[in-house]
Amino acid sequence: MAEFQPLVFSGVQPTGNLHLGNYLGAIRKFVALQDEHDCIYCVVDLHALTAQLVHEDMKGQIRSIAAAFIASGIDPKKHIVFNQSAVPQHAELAWIFNCVARIGWMNRMTQFKDKAGKDRENASLGLFAYPSLMAADILVYRATHVPVGDDQKQHLELTRDIAQKFNIDFSEHIRRTGLGVDIVVGEEPVHAYFPPVEPLIGGPAPRVMSLRDGTKKMSKSDASDLSRINLMDDADAISKKFRKAKTDPDALPGETEGLAGRPEADNLVGIYAALSDRTKADVLAEFGGQQFSVFKPALIDLAVATLSPITAEMRRLMDDTRHIDAILRDGAERAGARAEKTMNEVRDIVGFLR
Ligand code: TYM
């Protein structure tokens, strides 16, 4: 039985400062995957319009995400780094997916509900269709694995639903064109054009929480800068934010069960574990019984040692815009060739006259 070629794809929006949640939930995983996989990493500038239509410095934001990828260790020669709008096939496939996906599916997206807030009638159609473009980003490469933070889980389930519905709706055409692959999904043999996408969400920090409130996600949009560590923060800022981070009065437990009901302690231990590529159990085996007055300085040292070289390299890269732009152009060319191959096949499957 044939299989889909394994391929990793993920994207980050160029909206505001990247923070530790983006780094631990996504970018650090991108780096870890590149030794064993073919990877495509995208700055999703089309998606950025759904957060805010007019951007003061869109080009600078795009470059800064690309710089963060490269400064974190992604090799843009071995893999592909580019910005979404430079490969128009994403938008073309998204249109077809808009016609595959159902309004009922979109209505269930919790991120749409959160972002649209109370005034849903006034939210943009783009924000509503956001997950359909995300599915197109992934499937225009027929990518199989997608590293993301936990908040993207529902969007990836929707991506699977869209792929599955396309495969079923067009099954006759897929057979006729000879473009499908025989795979097994669950127990079922399926003839598929698009693969069932696997989310890669695990690790000790799939959802990094706010430093001010362990029940809220660390986010670019939080009004308090103290709630997050930005990738551009210097050592003083990192130290200050962790020192001020909310905790409880108890010592750290010796085992992970002891973190239940202690969201702030759980978050800081998760951050430490993710930064040091260890498990939370391993970190607690070392720090169990210690007060935060001991744990926080160790966490600050680790965070500064890990993030400072990345921040310095990001600054250096962002000073050389021609270099970054050349990397993005080269990435878009290579991504575009792959995306066009898929779109040629999709146009055939759908039956467009060419
Ligand atoms: P964005 O830019 O909002 O977030 C980029 C990545 O960072 C992760 N993330 C977090 N992880 C852990 N803890 C947090 N507090 C935290 N905050 C953010 C996100 O899960 C994400 O992995 N929709 C995507 C962008 C996208 C995409 C795609 C991703 C567009 N097309 C295709 C994968 C595949 C997003 O929200 O990005």
Side-chain angles (χ1 to χ4, degrees):
M1 187 151 304
E3 277 192 5
F4 285 98
Q5 272 300 88
L7 174 67
V8 172
F9 180 94
S10 197
V12 175
Q13 295 192 68
T15 44
N17 285 333
L18 283 175
H19 54 69
L20 190 60
N22 301 125
Y23 177 67
L24 294 179
I27 299 172
R28 196 173 165 93
K29 291 187 198 147
F30 300 176
V31 178
L33 285 161
Q34 64 173 350
D35 289 340
E36 311 233 318
H37 296 85
D38 184 12
C39 305
I40 303 181
Y41 296 128
C42 182
V43 185
V44 291
D45 47 10
L46 296 174
H47 276 111
L49 301 185
T50 67
Q52 180 190 329
L53 186 57
V54 181
H55 290 248
E56 197 48 42
D57 181 23
M58 177 72 102
K59 290 188 175 66
Q61 291 283 349
I62 294 168
R63 290 177 181 126
S64 81
I65 306 293
F69 287 172
I70 296 159
S72 300
I74 290 163
D75 180 348
K77 288 207 177 75
K78 267 177 72 186
H79 302 280
I80 294 181
V81 172
F82 75 107
N83 61 306
Q84 188 186 30
S85 64
V87 178
Q89 287 83 353
H90 289 234
E92 184 183 353
L93 185 58
W95 176 257
I96 294 175
F97 286 171
N98 284 344
C99 301
V100 172
R102 308 286 92 184
I103 286 182
W105 301 359
M106 296 297 177
N107 270 332
R108 285 196 283 278
M109 294 295 112
T110 55
Q111 205 155 79
F112 172 70
K113 290 184 205 164
D114 290 349
K115 288 188 176 165
K118 289 206 176 69
D119 195 7
R120 257 168 92 163
E121 292 292 305
N122 202 30
S124 74
L125 195 51
L127 185 66
F128 192 61
Y130 180 115
S132 171
L133 176 58
M134 189 166 154
D137 295 340
I138 299 163
L139 294 173
V140 82
Y141 303 100
R142 298 166 93 192
T144 54
H145 293 83
V146 182
V148 281
D150 178 65
D151 60 342
Q152 296 303 308
K153 195 167 168 207
Q154 198 186 27
H155 288 161
L156 293 185
E157 284 162 6
L158 186 90
T159 300
R160 288 176 71 100
D161 291 343
I162 290 176
Q164 191 187 12
K165 187 164 186 299
F166 181 97
N167 289 337
I168 293 171
D169 289 349
F170 288 102
S171 61
E172 281 307 309
H173 295 209
I174 295 169
R175 272 185 208 286
R176 221 178 295 146
T177 50
L179 293 166
V181 176
D182 284 314
I183 54 165
V184 177
V185 181
E187 310 262 284
E188 288 280 300
V190 178
H191 190 67
Y193 180 73
F194 287 119
V197 168
E198 286 287 332
L200 302 174
I201 296 182
R207 179 178 286 256
V208 177
M209 307 308 275
S210 156
L211 299 182
R212 307 301 293 165
D213 176 352
T215 64
K216 262 174 54 188
K217 189 178 73 167
M218 182 177 285
S219 136
K220 291 167 188 169
S221 54
D222 196 311
S224 165
D225 196 50
L226 285 174
S227 70
R228 65 185 160 259
I229 305 287
N230 302 305
L231 273 197
M232 292 309 263
D233 282 346
D234 61 17
D236 285 347
I238 292 174
S239 171
K240 177 174 142 197
K241 289 177 181 178
F242 276 126
R243 272 188 282 112
K244 285 188 180 285
K246 187 176 167 204
T247 51
D248 56 44
D250 295 335
L252 283 173
E255 283 162 9
T256 47
E257 293 74 40
L259 293 171
R262 299 179 63 186
E264 285 83 16
D266 190 18
N267 189 35
L268 295 184
V269 170
I271 291 173
Y272 192 104
L275 281 171
S276 54
D277 290 324
R278 290 161 65 184
T279 61
K280 288 199 242 184
D282 207 21
V283 173
L284 291 177
E286 182 180 343
F287 288 98
Q290 303 276 12
Q291 296 294 335
F292 283 103
S293 56
V294 174
F295 182 65
K296 278 188 173 180
L299 176 59
I300 291 166
D301 285 349
L302 174 63
V304 170
T306 312
L307 300 179
S308 294
I310 297 176
T311 311
E313 182 62 6
M314 265 179 84
R315 285 191 203 285
R316 196 187 67 76
L317 287 165
M318 274 150 66
D319 279 346
D320 189 354
T321 54
R322 282 174 49 181
H323 178 59
I324 288 275
D325 292 0
I327 288 173
L328 288 169
R329 258 198 313 277
D330 170 63
E333 222 169 272
R334 289 187 287 138
R338 292 193 189 196
E340 181 55 13
K341 179 171 182 298
T342 306
M343 281 318 298
N344 258 324
E345 297 180 348
V346 169
R347 291 177 204 124
D348 249 359
I349 290 169
V350 173
F352 292 143
L353 192 61
R354 294 188 293 128

